[in-house]
mmCIF file of all heavy atoms in Angstrom:
data_model
loop_
_atom_site.group_PDB
_atom_site.id
_atom_site.type_symbol
_atom_site.label_atom_id
_atom_site.label_comp_id
_atom_site.label_asym_id
_atom_site.label_seq_id
_atom_site.Cartn_x
_atom_site.Cartn_y
_atom_site.Cartn_z
ATOM 1 N N LEU B 99 106.754 101.271 75.828
ATOM 2 C CA LEU B 99 106.508 102.607 76.381
ATOM 3 C C LEU B 99 105.121 102.704 76.960
ATOM 4 O O LEU B 99 104.125 102.226 76.365
ATOM 5 C CB LEU B 99 106.620 103.683 75.281
ATOM 6 C CG LEU B 99 108.031 104.117 74.858
ATOM 7 C CD1 LEU B 99 107.949 105.225 73.831
ATOM 8 C CD2 LEU B 99 108.866 104.592 76.075
ATOM 9 N N ALA B 100 105.035 103.314 78.125
ATOM 10 C CA ALA B 100 103.727 103.470 78.793
ATOM 11 C C ALA B 100 102.869 104.487 78.060
ATOM 12 O O ALA B 100 103.394 105.340 77.309
ATOM 13 C CB ALA B 100 103.949 103.912 80.241
ATOM 14 N N THR B 101 101.567 104.372 78.321
ATOM 15 C CA THR B 101 100.607 105.294 77.722
ATOM 16 C C THR B 101 100.040 106.173 78.843
ATOM 17 O O THR B 101 99.692 105.609 79.891
ATOM 18 C CB THR B 101 99.488 104.531 76.994
ATOM 19 O OG1 THR B 101 100.081 103.730 75.978
ATOM 20 C CG2 THR B 101 98.456 105.416 76.395
ATOM 21 N N CYS B 117 105.516 100.288 80.355
ATOM 22 C CA CYS B 117 104.230 99.712 80.730
ATOM 23 C C CYS B 117 104.505 98.541 81.614
ATOM 24 O O CYS B 117 105.189 97.607 81.161
ATOM 25 C CB CYS B 117 103.468 99.300 79.467
ATOM 26 S SG CYS B 117 102.153 98.109 79.811
ATOM 27 N N VAL B 118 104.024 98.562 82.834
ATOM 28 C CA VAL B 118 104.382 97.542 83.804
ATOM 29 C C VAL B 118 103.872 96.169 83.407
ATOM 30 O O VAL B 118 104.383 95.145 83.914
ATOM 31 C CB VAL B 118 103.924 97.965 85.220
ATOM 32 C CG1 VAL B 118 102.387 98.020 85.295
ATOM 33 C CG2 VAL B 118 104.459 97.030 86.276
ATOM 34 N N ASN B 119 102.902 96.110 82.502
ATOM 35 C CA ASN B 119 102.366 94.817 82.094
ATOM 36 C C ASN B 119 102.861 94.356 80.723
ATOM 37 O O ASN B 119 102.437 93.286 80.257
ATOM 38 C CB ASN B 119 100.843 94.864 82.088
ATOM 39 C CG ASN B 119 100.280 94.947 83.473
ATOM 40 O OD1 ASN B 119 100.599 94.102 84.304
ATOM 41 N ND2 ASN B 119 99.446 95.950 83.758
ATOM 42 N N SER B 120 103.704 95.117 80.081
ATOM 43 C CA SER B 120 104.150 94.782 78.733
ATOM 44 C C SER B 120 104.882 93.439 78.697
ATOM 45 O O SER B 120 105.851 93.244 79.489
ATOM 46 C CB SER B 120 105.053 95.890 78.206
ATOM 47 O OG SER B 120 105.944 95.375 77.258
ATOM 48 N N CYS B 157 100.032 103.093 83.817
ATOM 49 C CA CYS B 157 99.908 102.990 82.343
ATOM 50 C C CYS B 157 98.438 102.760 81.942
ATOM 51 O O CYS B 157 97.727 102.028 82.606
ATOM 52 C CB CYS B 157 100.740 101.782 81.834
ATOM 53 S SG CYS B 157 100.649 101.584 80.060
ATOM 54 N N TYR B 158 98.004 103.428 80.903
ATOM 55 C CA TYR B 158 96.623 103.397 80.444
ATOM 56 C C TYR B 158 96.509 102.784 79.056
ATOM 57 O O TYR B 158 95.581 103.071 78.324
ATOM 58 C CB TYR B 158 96.022 104.794 80.437
ATOM 59 C CG TYR B 158 95.928 105.421 81.764
ATOM 60 C CD1 TYR B 158 97.034 106.054 82.372
ATOM 61 C CD2 TYR B 158 94.731 105.372 82.542
ATOM 62 C CE1 TYR B 158 96.934 106.599 83.646
ATOM 63 C CE2 TYR B 158 94.658 105.932 83.806
ATOM 64 C CZ TYR B 158 95.748 106.543 84.352
ATOM 65 O OH TYR B 158 95.672 107.103 85.614
ATOM 66 N N CYS B 159 97.447 101.934 78.693
ATOM 67 C CA CYS B 159 97.472 101.375 77.316
ATOM 68 C C CYS B 159 96.367 100.298 77.126
ATOM 69 O O CYS B 159 95.772 99.816 78.090
ATOM 70 C CB CYS B 159 98.822 100.817 76.959
ATOM 71 S SG CYS B 159 99.193 99.198 77.697
ATOM 72 N N GLU B 160 96.149 99.946 75.913
ATOM 73 C CA GLU B 160 95.126 98.961 75.579
ATOM 74 C C GLU B 160 95.403 97.604 76.229
ATOM 75 O O GLU B 160 94.463 96.910 76.661
ATOM 76 C CB GLU B 160 95.055 98.780 74.031
ATOM 77 C CG GLU B 160 94.129 99.814 73.364
ATOM 78 C CD GLU B 160 92.770 99.935 74.068
ATOM 79 O OE1 GLU B 160 92.133 98.893 74.316
ATOM 80 O OE2 GLU B 160 92.391 101.066 74.441
ATOM 81 N N HIS B 161 96.674 97.257 76.283
ATOM 82 C CA HIS B 161 97.050 95.997 76.918
ATOM 83 C C HIS B 161 96.678 95.990 78.393
ATOM 84 O O HIS B 161 96.042 95.041 78.858
ATOM 85 C CB HIS B 161 98.548 95.734 76.696
ATOM 86 C CG HIS B 161 99.022 94.453 77.286
ATOM 87 N ND1 HIS B 161 98.491 93.213 76.933
ATOM 88 C CD2 HIS B 161 100.011 94.188 78.197
ATOM 89 C CE1 HIS B 161 99.128 92.277 77.612
ATOM 90 N NE2 HIS B 161 100.020 92.841 78.396
ATOM 91 N N CYS B 162 97.059 97.071 79.077
ATOM 92 C CA CYS B 162 96.668 97.165 80.523
ATOM 93 C C CYS B 162 95.161 97.163 80.652
ATOM 94 O O CYS B 162 94.603 96.538 81.587
ATOM 95 C CB CYS B 162 97.254 98.422 81.119
ATOM 96 S SG CYS B 162 99.033 98.365 81.380
ATOM 97 N N HIS B 163 94.502 97.852 79.748
ATOM 98 C CA HIS B 163 93.050 97.935 79.807
ATOM 99 C C HIS B 163 92.425 96.519 79.702
ATOM 100 O O HIS B 163 91.563 96.142 80.517
ATOM 101 C CB HIS B 163 92.568 98.813 78.655
ATOM 102 C CG HIS B 163 91.092 99.170 78.750
ATOM 103 N ND1 HIS B 163 90.451 99.906 77.809
ATOM 104 C CD2 HIS B 163 90.162 98.858 79.683
ATOM 105 C CE1 HIS B 163 89.177 100.038 78.158
ATOM 106 N NE2 HIS B 163 89.000 99.404 79.285
HETATM 107 ZN ZN1 ZN R 702 100.285 99.387 79.757
#
Side-chain angles (χ1 to χ4, degrees):
L99 281 183
T101 299
C117 162
V118 65
N119 288 308
S120 153
C157 181
Y158 295 83
C159 77
E160 274 312 309
H161 181 56
C162 287
H163 190 183

